[in-house]
Amino acid sequence: MDYVNAFWVGGLICALVQILMEKTKMLPGRIMVLLVCSGAVLGALQIYEPFQEYAGAGASVPLLGFGNVLWKGIQEAVDTDGFLGIFMGGFTASAVGISAALIFGYLASLIFQPKMKK
């Protein structure tokens, strides 16, 4: 049942974002920022954690999950380091995911040799 919940919740998030993209004039970058900020706000309100426990990877993989990871990292760093944790927490919590995205993106560019649009 965990797979089914992850599938339908992740699909619902993607469908809602697709509807938002098609029905508004918002650019994709702004929608991505909206998702990350929404995940952080839902994490701050302590709504995202029970949602993520129910949906599993369907809630943790999309950009909402990235915003929640940033929030949790900042919260932990503020608890241990005080005010400076606001600036350090997000970087330490998301470093592995960002590094993986950069490394795999670079490897994909080596394999597929992308070309610039004309």
Side-chain angles (χ1 to χ4, degrees), residues 1-116:
M1 198 63 187
D2 291 339
Y3 295 119
V4 173
N5 288 337
F7 180 77
W8 80 262
V9 170
L12 182 65
I13 292 170
C14 292
L16 291 174
V17 169
Q18 188 66 37
I19 291 169
L20 185 65
M21 287 177 67
E22 291 185 13
K23 297 295 181 186
T24 67
K25 299 293 181 192
M26 290 179 69
L27 298 173
R30 291 185 181 187
I31 293 173
M32 290 171 30
V33 169
L34 178 69
L35 288 170
V36 172
C37 291
S38 299
V41 169
L42 290 173
L45 296 174
Q46 298 180 352
I47 296 172
Y48 202 81
E49 198 67 35
F51 175 62
Q52 188 173 1
E53 287 177 15
Y54 172 76
S60 64
V61 172
L63 286 172
L64 287 169
F66 181 68
N68 187 47
V69 165
L70 289 175
W71 167 253
K72 286 197 296 189
I74 291 171
Q75 186 179 22
E76 290 173 9
V78 166
D79 291 343
T80 58
D81 299 325
F83 181 74
L84 287 178
I86 294 172
F87 305 105
M88 299 182 333
F91 292 115
T92 56
S94 63
V96 173
I98 293 172
S99 298
L102 290 172
I103 291 168
F104 290 125
Y106 178 71
L107 291 175
S109 72
L110 291 177
I111 294 169
F112 297 107
Q113 299 173 355
K115 295 177 180 69
M116 296 295 290

